[in-house]
């Protein structure tokens, strides 16, 4: 895989662009070496057994998921793993402060969410808003979509995602592409769509996106699904009434997602389909 060092970000960006998601175990070992086991026990007593145990288990799970993500990349010869903070990336958008960190979606979590979308999908375009490095564009290639589009506003991530998608072109008869654009300005294409969002931005941007989508569907009969996932329940709580206010979508019945070993967190999600028009 080609290095991204030629992007030449500023020194602070260069330092922040490095993914730190796989270093938790190393940092824990270093802490024990520097401070000793007694300091670990002292902090455990201070925070309580329940809280300390939860912290340890959370970090173990994070390390396992990070390892699974790196194995995915090695298997397919891509670069999709990691957790990258947006403040260290090159973003030319008034909404730069309204996005969330770029993380990769676990394959098992993605498959679970897509279960609620009816088949076949041969006429559908798959769209990932805030696609990051393009992990779900690769995962979607096995679902029979006609084409796929990723939308991303961080220049470095667009560059990486485009390289990753070279391995997925055969999975989409109409091709796959990554558009360097703010999601609030994205013009949704004609034809049926599955729109995927994994908590890519806050309510201010999301409201614009849903308004644009509803406007695009207003005078057509195109089918459309919206799949929204987040590790935070409060995000789902504001997204549900927001999409309901469009008057265009109805929620699809789904099953709670189980605990998957390849995911850092259990994802809360909801799926919506465009209401049928008489």
């Amino acid at each position: 895989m080609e290095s991204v060092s030629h992007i030449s970000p500023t020194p602070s960006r260069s330092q922040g662009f490095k993914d730190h998601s796989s270093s938790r175990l190393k940092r824990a070992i270093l802490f024990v070496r520097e401070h000793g086991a007694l300091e670990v026990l002292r902090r455990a007593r201070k925070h309580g057994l329940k809280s300390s145990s939860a912290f340890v288990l959370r970090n173990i799970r994070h390390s396992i998921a990070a390892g699974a993500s790196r194995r995915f990349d090695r298997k397919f010869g891509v670069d999709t793993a990691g957790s990258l903070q947006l403040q260290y990336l090159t973003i030319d958008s008034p909404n730069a402060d309204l996005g969330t960190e770029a993380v990769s979606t676990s394959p098992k979590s993605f498959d679970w969410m897509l279960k609620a979308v009816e088949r076949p999908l041969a006429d559908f375009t798959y769209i990932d808003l805030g696609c990051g490095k393009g992990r779900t564009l690769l995962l979607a290639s096995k679902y029979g979509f006609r084409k796929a589009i990723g939308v991303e506003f961080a220049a470095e991530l667009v560059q990486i995602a485009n390289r990753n998608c070279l391995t997925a072109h055969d999975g989409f008869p109409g091709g796959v592409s990554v558009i360097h654009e703010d999601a609030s300005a994205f013009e949704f294409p004609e034809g049926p769509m599955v729109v995927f969002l994994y908590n890519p931005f806050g309510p201010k941007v999301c409201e614009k996106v849903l308004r644009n989508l509803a406007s695009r569907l207003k005078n057509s009969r195109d089918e459309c699904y919206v799949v929204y996932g987040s590790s935070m329940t409060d995000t789902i709580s504001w997204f549900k009434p927001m999409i309901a206010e469009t008057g265009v979508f109805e929620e699809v019945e789904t099953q709670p997602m189980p605990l998957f070993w390849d995911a850092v967190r259990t994802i809360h999600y909801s799926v919506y389909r465009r209401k049928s028009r008489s």
Side-chain angles (χ1 to χ4, degrees):
M1 182 58 59
E2 183 183 359
S3 170
V4 297
S5 59
H6 63 282
I7 294 173
S8 300
T10 62
S12 61
R13 283 197 178 116
S14 179
Q15 182 179 6
F17 187 61
K18 181 181 179 182
D19 171 40
H20 298 283
S21 64
S22 63
S23 62
R24 291 195 177 196
L25 182 58
K26 293 179 181 179
R27 295 202 303 270
I29 294 173
L30 181 61
F31 180 88
V32 174
R33 287 178 177 175
E34 290 182 350
H35 301 280
L38 290 178
E39 176 62 16
V40 175
L41 293 174
R42 187 191 70 79
R43 295 197 178 194
R45 286 197 299 269
K46 177 182 178 182
H47 296 287
L49 180 60
K50 183 177 180 180
S51 178
S52 299
S53 298
F55 174 79
V56 171
L57 291 174
R58 186 166 61 250
N59 279 273
I60 290 174
R61 181 177 180 183
H62 193 289
S63 296
I64 293 173
S69 194
R70 293 193 299 274
R71 286 193 295 275
F72 176 93
D73 283 1
R74 288 196 297 269
K75 179 179 180 180
F76 296 103
V78 293
D79 171 20
T80 66
S83 175
L84 301 171
Q85 299 298 317
L86 297 186
Q87 65 262 35
Y88 300 112
L89 300 174
T90 305
I91 301 172
D92 182 14
S93 166
N95 297 318
D97 295 334
L98 302 178
T100 61
E101 66 177 325
V103 296
S104 57
T105 304
S106 84
K108 291 184 180 297
S109 298
F110 183 79
D111 289 342
W112 186 272
M113 287 185 278
L114 266 286
K115 284 170 56 176
V117 178
E118 296 179 2
R119 310 292 194 276
L121 296 169
D123 296 327
F124 281 72
T125 297
Y126 172 79
I127 301 170
D128 184 349
L129 299 179
C131 70
K133 291 182 176 182
R135 166 74 70 86
T136 75
L137 299 174
L138 307 182
L139 297 176
S141 64
K142 67 179 182 180
Y143 281 87
F145 287 102
R146 182 176 67 85
K147 64 183 297 185
I149 300 172
V151 181
E152 175 57 52
F153 69 175
E156 293 89 345
L157 301 184
V158 171
Q159 197 172 53
I160 297 171
N162 270 314
R163 289 201 300 271
N164 288 331
C165 286
L166 293 175
T167 68
H169 273 281
D170 292 343
F172 302 101
V176 54
S177 60
V178 180
I179 299 175
H180 187 192
E181 187 175 41
D182 189 295
S184 66
F186 176 66
E187 294 186 7
F188 290 92
E190 297 295 320
M193 299 172 281
V194 171
V195 181
F196 180 83
L197 306 94
Y198 181 67
N199 187 27
F201 31 69
K204 183 177 179 181
V205 177
C206 198
E207 185 178 15
K208 294 179 182 178
V209 168
L210 291 177
R211 186 166 59 243
N212 292 343
L213 179 57
S215 176
R216 152 68 183 83
L217 295 171
K218 182 178 179 180
N219 297 316
S220 80
R221 294 184 177 273
D222 290 333
E223 294 181 82
C224 182
Y225 285 85
V226 175
V227 181
Y228 188 91
S230 175
S231 61
M232 298 179 290
T233 54
D234 60 333
T235 304
I236 293 292
S237 68
W238 62 252
F239 182 82
K240 286 192 175 188
M242 184 177 289
I243 194 170
E245 287 176 4
T246 66
V248 176
F249 296 94
E250 59 185 3
E251 189 168 358
V252 177
E253 183 178 355
T254 59
Q255 298 298 317
M257 187 176 297
L259 173 64
F260 288 123
W261 62 269
D262 68 340
V264 173
R265 304 175 184 88
T266 300
I267 295 175
H268 307 280
Y269 74 106
S270 52
V271 178
Y272 306 85
R273 63 176 161 235
R274 193 251 177 88
K275 293 179 179 178
S276 59
R277 300 185 63 180
S278 57

